[in-house]
Structures are given as C-alpha cells and as structure tokens.
C-alpha cells in the first residue's frame, strides 16, 4: 500500500492516476478535501483500493492521523511518497510574510512522516520511501525553495545509506520544470507532470537512488557544477526573468 502526499494536484495527481492504473492500493493525502475525495472516487468508486485522507503535513496530529488511517484501512504501509510541496508563489521570498513554510512543508514534514513509517518498515525488513526533490536542489535558483530541496536531497541520500542492508529502499525523484500550479507563472516550455509520475512508478518497480526528469536537466546540473558563471547568466536571463518578470 502506498501513502502519497500532495495528491490533489500537479505531480501528486498525475502520480495517483499512474499508480492506480498499475494496480497499487493508495492512501491519498492533501489539504484540499473536495478535490482529494473526488480523485479517490474517480480512481476507485468503491473505495476498496483508494481512500482519501485530508491532511496538513505540517501538523503533527494530522500526520499521525494519516498514518493511523492507512493502518486501519489497509494494515501496513509499503511505500511512502513525500510529494507535498510549496514555494513562494509571487515575488521574492524575503518579501513573503512566512517564507519558512516552504521548509516546513518541503523538508520538515517529509522527515517527520519518515519517522512515523520507518519502525514498521525496518521491523519487517521491507519498504520504500520516495521523496520528490527538484533540480533546484542541485542547481539553486530560489533561496528558500532551493534550501528545502537541497535539504531533501541530502536527507534522502543520507537516509538511503543509513538503511543499507535493512531491506528499506530510498529513492529521490528530482524534477525540472514541469506543468503544475507551482510553475503556472513560469513562461517557458514544460512537459506535463506525467513524466514525473512515470518516474515514480519506475523506481517502485526498480529502485534507484536518484532520478532526474526530464533527462535534459542532468545536463543543467552538470553545467551548474562545471561552469557556474555561465549558469548564473542563464538563470538570470531565463529563469528569473521569466518567473519574476525581472532581471
């Protein structure tokens, strides 16, 4: 059984549909109850394989309720997919009244959810944790968002090594720009979130340490490492200008 956070839109929505089509049992979590319930009914009208659990991943009681509901309905958690994510939607992060919510949702919440599911996974010697990172966790473009995604990348890679030999796999999916609510203001060509959903399904079938999608973004990460000055110019002229309308 798979617990999937941030399931009501974007990458989470596409992932829920992809995994349901492949026969996975799902517990869908997100804040937007109406959209979440509608999705669960779309995927499984009888609620025998897919249930919706409205969840605020930043709230400890809500996280625990999610895990309890998963156990109550399906008995065990085989996979945790930490997909819920936010960014500062408009303007610069330093002008936002609560920029640290980005870290709470993107980094703190996944860590806390992992803490809740690890005991059962380790005790039975099987399980899979999939964290949705970002290419912004390798090539920084936004201070607060990149801080959270650098953090989730370090957490994922470190956790994977901590769990070597335990039977519990850890995978990191690092998307570049894909169409979603989060990237709605980015004026650039982007594939749909289905490319990320297929990558998630792929690592569940064949575990991998890290997958970058679309593949072109592997070159972006390499460019940032080898030629940071050139990367600066590209970010300034393409990413910053098109996202913020400013150079």
């Amino acid at each position: 059984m798979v617990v999937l956070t941030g399931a009501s839109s974007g990458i989470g929505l596409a992932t829920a549909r992809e995994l349901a089509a492949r026969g996975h049992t799902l517990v869908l979590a997100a804040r937007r109850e109406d959209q979440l319930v509608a999705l669960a009914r779309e995927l499984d009208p009888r609620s025998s394989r897919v249930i919706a659990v409205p969840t605020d991943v930043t709230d400890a009681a809500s996280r625990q309720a999610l895990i309890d509901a998963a156990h109550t309905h399906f008995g065990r958690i085989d996979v945790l997919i930490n997909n819920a994510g936010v960014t500062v939607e408009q303007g610069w992060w330093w002008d936002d009244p609560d920029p640290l919510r980005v870290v709470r949702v993107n980094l703190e919440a996944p860590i806390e959810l992992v803490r809740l599911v690890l005991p059962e996974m380790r005790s039975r010697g099987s399980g899979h944790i999939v964290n949705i990172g970002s290419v912004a966790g390798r090539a920084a473009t936004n201070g607060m968002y990149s801080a959270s995604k650098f953090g989730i990348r370090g957490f994922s890679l470190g956790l994977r090594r901590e769990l070597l030999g335990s039977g519990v796999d850890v995978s990191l999916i690092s998307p570049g720009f894909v169409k979603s609510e989060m990237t709605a203001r980015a004026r650039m060509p982007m594939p749909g979130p289905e490319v990320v959903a297929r990558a998630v399904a792929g690592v569940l079938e064949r575990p991998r340490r890290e997958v970058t999608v679309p593949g072109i973004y592997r070159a972006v990460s390499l460019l940032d490492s080898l030629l940071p000055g050139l990367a600066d110019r590209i970010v300034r002229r393409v990413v910053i200008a098109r996202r913020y309308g400013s150079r």
Side-chain angles (χ1 to χ4, degrees), residues 218-230:
R218 290 193 293 270
V220 173
S221 299
L222 184 62
L223 175 67
D224 189 66
S225 297
L226 298 178
L227 297 169
L230 177 58

Side-chain angles (χ1 to χ4, degrees), residues 3-43:
V3 173
L4 170 64
T5 68
S8 63
S9 65
I11 290 171
L13 173 62
T15 300
R17 287 173 171 160
E18 181 72 25
L19 295 184
R22 297 188 186 213
H24 287 276
T25 299
L26 300 171
V27 175
L28 306 179
R31 289 182 303 168
R32 291 175 286 192
E33 182 173 359
D34 290 348
Q35 291 172 254
L36 195 67
V37 170
L39 175 61
R41 288 175 179 165
E42 169 199 326
L43 299 178

Side-chain angles (χ1 to χ4, degrees), residues 71-88:
H71 287 145
T72 298
H73 283 82
F74 299 116
R76 60 183 269 178
I77 297 172
D78 299 294
V79 178
L80 168 65
I81 303 175
N82 283 310
N83 168 72
V86 298
T87 188
V88 174

Side-chain angles (χ1 to χ4, degrees), residues 71-134:
H71 287 145
T72 298
H73 283 82
F74 299 116
R76 60 183 269 178
I77 297 172
D78 299 294
V79 178
L80 168 65
I81 303 175
N82 283 310
N83 168 72
V86 298
T87 188
V88 174
E89 297 292 343
Q90 296 183 357
W92 307 98
W93 67 265
W94 53 82
D95 294 325
D96 191 90
D98 183 22
L100 285 174
R101 76 183 185 281
V102 176
V103 176
R104 291 195 295 271
V105 174
N106 297 0
L107 180 57
E108 181 181 311
I111 291 172
E112 293 294 348
L113 282 166
V114 167
R115 284 212 305 159
L116 293 177
V117 303
L118 262 187
E120 66 173 284
M121 290 183 176
R122 292 183 68 231
S123 66
R124 69 170 181 260
S126 67
H128 200 156
I129 294 162
V130 180
N131 292 323
I132 306 301
S134 172

Side-chain angles (χ1 to χ4, degrees), residues 190-206:
M190 293 174 282
E194 293 77 15
V195 67
V196 185
R198 290 191 293 270
V200 172
V203 298
L204 295 186
E205 295 173 0
R206 185 169 69 90

Side-chain angles (χ1 to χ4, degrees), residues 124-206:
R124 69 170 181 260
S126 67
H128 200 156
I129 294 162
V130 180
N131 292 323
I132 306 301
S134 172
V135 171
R138 302 193 70 169
T141 56
N142 173 294
M144 196 55 59
Y145 184 72
S146 289
S148 70
K149 293 303 184 178
F150 268 77
I152 199 66
R153 183 169 189 267
F155 172 67
S156 301
L157 299 182
L159 179 64
R160 173 185 167 275
R161 286 181 170 159
E162 290 175 315
L163 294 174
L164 287 173
S166 70
V168 181
D169 293 306
V170 180
S171 298
L172 175 68
I173 307 295
S174 297
F177 283 99
V178 298
K179 292 178 182 177
S180 70
E181 291 181 4
M182 191 179 297
T183 60
R185 297 181 68 244
R187 301 187 302 274
M188 57 184 69
M190 293 174 282
E194 293 77 15
V195 67
V196 185
R198 290 191 293 270
V200 172
V203 298
L204 295 186
E205 295 173 0
R206 185 169 69 90

